[in-house]
Amino acid sequence: MDVRFVVLVLALVGLMAAGVGTRIQGAAARIAQIAFAVALLPLVYRYHRRIYVIVKTLPRDVKFLYRYINADIETKGFVRNNTTVIKIFTERARIYPNKPCFIFEGRIWTNLDIEKLSNQVASVFQKAGYVKGDAVALLMHNRPEYIAIWLGLGKLGVVTALINTNLRMQPLVHCLLAAKVKAIIYTQELGTAINEITDTIQGIDRYEWGSPLGEELDGAKNVDQLLTEASTAPPVVDHIPGYRDNLLYIYTSGTTGLPKAALMPHSRYLLITMATYHMLGLRANSDIMYNPLPLYHTAGGLVGTGCALVKGIPSVLRTKFSVSAYWTDCIKHNCTLAQYIGEMCRYLLSAPPRPEDSAHSVRLMVGNGMRPQLWQEFVNRFKIEQITEVYGSSEGNANIVNVDNQVGAVGFIPSIIPKSLHPVALIRVTPDTCEPIRGPDGFCIRAKTNEPGMFIGLIKQGNASREFNGYLDKEASRSKTIQNVFSKGDKAFLSGDILVQDEYGYFYFKDRTGDTYRWKGENVATAEVEGVVSNVAGHRDATVYGVQVPGMEGKAGMAAIVDPDSLLDFKALAEGLDKALPSYARPIFLRIVKELEMTGTFKLKKINLQKEGFDPNKIQDKVYFRSGNKEYVQVTPELYEEIISGTAKL
């Protein structure tokens, strides 16, 4: 921050203080005060806009700082006492044994229920010889037992690798081997996925959950049988887990390749929980959270469970997200908080209106991925007081939150804090490779206001909110950091996302670096185009990506749109895109598909679509092409040849 600006602020404070002395010192003091004010006029004129911004955002910033300080105080207490999630929950279960913890399929699971089951799990694996530092995989759909299992393993210091229930064959094997697990716990209904890979995981013990008592399993142990013989008392261990020990491995969603295991120590779990509780202004005595998100990812598995285990806010779990059941579940269980992620909000908005849309008690929704184009319509229809959009990642330290309903913003940094003290920043990167651009001094260059830049988190080991825990794969961790960012020796986490910050400090998501493409000399942010295409196409699933056209510089835009019943109006689509997008951002190619592959956190995958391009000889789906302002026409083998030969005009 400019030193002269700081002097100006201090001078203004002094000027106000001098007003008190005026009544005492008389006319001489008044003349001196007026002279002082006149001398300050040039500085006031120069910085009047910044002063206006600080004054305008002051209520927001004060609320943020108050909540942040409260979260920080608790977090520092955890550090001093070497606290873990296990210690906190065990104490809560002792003090409030009958308080609801999780609600699932008509049953209320109390703190004592979860505590006893977790102790039984610990007993089973302790008898089997598992010790601190070992890893066990968990493949199970949402249910309270899921949390009790990793809690029980955590009491031994065993790390639980949370496996995506959609994975099969090679990706599943990869996740097990990457985490070097000694065993896998899986439910009977997911047994087929394990049976398919038994030959490649012969060194890994198998524990099947949900089988009838006494049933002999082919090569697997019957967990239910073992639990009947297990103690419900807390385990006694030689090496007690601590604040910085790993609790979980949470895998990246795998939108651009095989999933990577992110480290989730107790410190990070508690940090996320404190941030959720304090920054959202939750109420321990009255709030109930609705969590239909998968428990194997950060949003559902940490944000959706942390407040139940650590703060006593009950969480209503659902096996998987359902459009028709979302609001009826919230009404049935009197939920006051609800989670969302990815495309869920668009699915809810696409459903026909019902009385339940506004008959619930949900006052706050928290998540990430709410498209700006849907935001206000969603709020108006479902009567939600507060949408709290969160930006972050399982492995990173670049985390921000939007606490004041700013439409489209993923978070902000208080305007009253100098940029040099900000824990996050936007830096300039090259358009094509997204490599950080450095100045003559060798340091990164901050992006200006409203200029797109890569979002980074400045690393400060030992500080819970700024540590970079990274991945189990150390090389993958190194690839996500840079050194000598703004000063010699400093380090930062590279988010891989392009954001923009306005003058009020709000951040807006633009695109992922791998998704942005360049066409006709302009950068195209696929996330923004996807939002427009989906809206114009009647809230259909749509994903946008760039494809290479021989002889053309950059990549041409292509959109894959779900339209299984062939009801899409191509003329109306073209007209809608013309109104909403600049010419360079309008998709030139369309691919009409029956469905789009999606991650467990409702993110659309596009890597295979990009590889397949627009060749009708290789793609079974219908592909359409648009030249200039004309309508979309189907790509035939003949038209394809015209396009790649340069005959057709792009």
Side-chain angles (χ1 to χ4, degrees):
M1 185 175 286
D2 195 319
V3 175
R4 286 170 294 183
F5 178 66
V6 175
V7 171
L8 171 60
V9 173
L10 293 175
L12 289 173
V13 172
L15 186 61
M16 289 185 286
V20 177
T22 301
R23 292 190 291 271
I24 302 173
Q25 299 174 22
R30 188 183 300 277
I31 293 171
Q33 185 178 354
I34 293 173
F36 186 52
V38 171
L40 285 177
L41 281 177
L43 282 176
V44 172
Y45 176 77
R46 180 172 182 177
Y47 294 106
H48 73 282
R49 185 64 189 177
R50 198 180 301 184
I51 295 170
Y52 168 77
V53 168
I54 288 176
V55 172
K56 184 176 177 61
T57 58
L58 192 59
R60 176 201 71 181
D61 294 351
V62 169
K63 178 171 72 173
F64 171 86
L65 291 173
Y66 172 77
R67 293 178 175 181
Y68 175 83
I69 290 169
N70 284 332
D72 191 53
I73 289 172
E74 278 207 76
T75 299
K76 286 179 178 176
F78 297 151
V79 177
R80 285 195 305 272
N81 299 319
N82 197 27
T83 302
T84 63
V85 179
I86 309 300
K87 290 179 183 177
I88 294 174
F89 180 71
T90 298
E91 183 65 9
R92 286 198 63 83
R94 185 186 68 80
I95 299 173
Y96 310 106
N98 299 318
K99 192 175 191 310
C101 188
F102 296 106
I103 301 166
F104 180 70
E105 294 186 348
R107 177 182 170 182
I108 296 175
W109 288 68
T110 64
N111 289 333
L112 186 59
D113 292 331
I114 297 295
E115 173 69 2
K116 283 184 175 180
L117 181 55
S118 68
N119 288 337
Q120 288 177 292
V121 171
S123 174
V124 167
F125 282 85
Q126 190 174 47
K127 286 180 182 178
Y130 287 78
V131 296
K132 182 179 178 180
D134 290 339
V136 171
L138 178 58
L139 183 69
M140 179 182 285
H141 292 301
N142 286 11
R143 56 202 302 170
E145 293 97 319
Y146 190 102
I147 299 102
I149 289 171
W150 64 249
L151 265 177
L153 293 171
K155 291 180 178 183
L156 305 177
V158 174
V159 185
T160 307
L162 308 183
I163 307 297
N164 187 325
T165 53
N166 297 301
L167 296 182
R168 298 293 183 271
M169 301 304 289
Q170 179 53 33
L172 177 56
V173 172
H174 163 79
C175 288
L176 300 180
L177 298 182
K180 298 178 181 178
V181 301
K182 294 180 65 175
I184 179 169
I185 303 170
Y186 60 93
T187 48
Q188 189 178 39
E189 67 265 28
L190 292 170
T192 303
I194 300 302
N195 293 335
E196 291 172 345
I197 61 171
T198 50
D199 291 342
T200 55
I201 60 167
Q202 290 183 2
I204 298 175
D205 293 333
R206 290 179 285 138
Y207 289 80
E208 186 166 295
W209 189 287
S211 297
L213 295 178
E215 181 176 321
E216 291 292 327
L217 303 175
D218 184 19
K221 298 176 176 65
N222 188 324
V223 182
D224 296 75
Q225 185 67 48
L226 295 172
L227 289 174
T228 63
E229 306 160 7
S231 170
T232 58
V236 177
V237 296
D238 295 329
H239 303 286
I240 299 173
Y243 178 71
R244 298 198 179 280
D245 287 323
N246 285 324
L247 174 65
L248 305 168
Y249 295 147
I250 294 185
Y251 292 82
T252 59
S253 57
T255 52
T256 57
L258 290 172
K260 295 187 288 291
L263 305 179
M264 193 61 60
H266 287 271
S267 58
R268 185 157 175 79
Y269 188 103
L270 291 171
L271 174 70
I272 291 173
T273 300
M274 290 303 100
T276 302
Y277 181 77
H278 289 287
M279 299 309 298
L280 273 60
L282 303 189
R283 307 161 185 168
N285 295 324
S286 59
D287 277 334
I288 299 175
M289 180 177 284
Y290 182 59
N291 178 13
L293 309 184
L295 293 175
Y296 53 75
H297 272 313
T298 304
L302 273 70
V303 175
T305 65
C307 287
L309 298 176
V310 177
K311 286 296 184 180
I313 296 177
S315 182
V316 178
L317 302 178
R318 186 175 178 82
T319 304
K320 61 180 181 179
F321 166 69
S322 165
V323 172
S324 60
Y326 195 93
W327 299 117
T328 53
D329 279 352
C330 289
I331 293 170
K332 179 180 178 181
H333 298 291
N334 297 313
C335 296
T336 55
L337 319 168
Q339 290 187 269
Y340 68 87
I341 199 168
E343 300 292 318
M344 279 175 49
C345 293
R346 184 169 57 77
Y347 294 151
L348 291 170
L349 204 53
S350 298
R354 298 187 302 164
E356 290 87 348
D357 290 352
S358 57
H360 54 79
S361 301
V362 175
R363 64 180 175 82
L364 183 151
M365 290 186 69
V366 58
N368 60 71
M370 173 79 80
R371 293 187 186 272
Q373 298 88 350
L374 304 178
W375 192 305
Q376 197 58 54
E377 184 181 357
F378 189 91
V379 169
N380 293 342
R381 174 173 166 181
F382 298 113
K383 304 297 185 290
I384 306 298
E385 294 178 21
Q386 171 75 43
I387 297 291
T388 302
E389 179 80 3
V390 178
Y391 174 90
S393 61
S394 300
E395 73 280 18
N397 68 342
N399 307 297
I400 48 177
V401 58
N402 175 358
V403 299
D404 67 337
N405 275 326
Q406 177 68 15
V407 174
V410 298
F412 69 94
I413 289 293
S415 301
I416 57 177
I417 298 178
K419 277 192 176 182
S420 59
L421 298 179
H422 289 183
V424 296
L426 292 179
I427 60 172
R428 291 179 178 176
V429 293
T430 57
D432 299 324
T433 62
C434 290
E435 290 293 319
I437 297 174
R438 295 182 181 270
D441 57 3
F443 298 126
C444 295
I445 303 172
R446 291 182 185 270
K448 294 181 179 179
T449 300
N450 296 319
E451 178 187 11
M454 184 185 290
F455 194 58
I456 64 171
L458 296 166
I459 297 171
K460 187 177 181 181
Q461 296 302 134
N463 182 319
S465 64
R466 294 178 61 178
E467 284 182 327
F468 174 59
N469 301 116
Y471 306 105
L472 192 58
D473 182 340
K474 293 183 179 179
E475 183 55 41
S477 295
R478 280 192 289 269
S479 69
K480 293 289 286 186
T481 62
I482 55 171
Q483 293 185 324
N484 302 323
V485 187
F486 299 127
S487 61
K488 191 170 181 59
D490 68 350
K491 294 182 180 180
F493 162 73
L494 296 169
S495 72
D497 292 335
I498 302 298
L499 275 65
V500 168
Q501 186 180 26
D502 67 16
E503 66 173 334
Y504 298 105
Y506 291 108
F507 289 93
Y508 300 86
F509 182 83
K510 293 289 287 185
D511 214 354
R512 303 196 183 282
T513 52
D515 291 347
T516 299
Y517 62 89
R518 197 166 178 82
W519 182 245
K520 294 188 176 180
E522 299 284 353
N523 290 328
V524 180
T526 59
E528 292 185 0
V529 179
E530 283 170 355
V532 172
V533 172
S534 177
N535 265 20
V536 175
H539 297 315
R540 287 177 169 83
D541 277 350
T543 189
V544 174
Y545 46 96
V547 292
Q548 197 72 52
V549 180
M552 299 297 295
E553 185 180 348
K555 292 183 177 180
M558 187 166 184
I561 303 174
V562 174
D563 185 31
D565 301 319
S566 302
L567 299 176
L568 188 63
D569 185 334
F570 289 94
K571 183 178 180 180
L573 177 67
E575 291 174 352
L577 295 178
D578 288 349
K579 292 178 182 177
L581 293 171
S583 59
Y584 64 83
R586 298 167 196 158
I588 292 173
F589 297 99
L590 298 180
R591 178 173 175 175
I592 306 304
V593 299
K594 292 182 179 179
E595 62 179 359
L596 285 171
E597 189 179 5
M598 191 174 290
T599 70
T601 50
F602 298 90
K603 296 175 183 175
L604 296 167
K605 290 187 176 183
K606 62 180 74 175
I607 188 167
N608 291 331
L609 296 171
Q610 287 175 300
K611 291 178 180 178
E612 292 168 354
F614 57 94
D615 187 350
N617 301 302
K618 298 179 180 179
I619 302 172
Q620 293 183 350
D621 302 318
K622 289 183 178 180
V623 177
Y624 293 82
F625 168 70
R626 188 185 189 198
S627 177
N629 294 321
K630 299 178 182 178
E631 294 182 21
Y632 286 101
V633 295
Q634 188 171 347
V635 177
T636 61
E638 294 76 21
L639 178 54
Y640 175 76
E641 291 299 327
E642 291 180 20
I643 294 170
I644 63 172
S645 66
T647 306
K649 182 181 178 182
L650 272 72

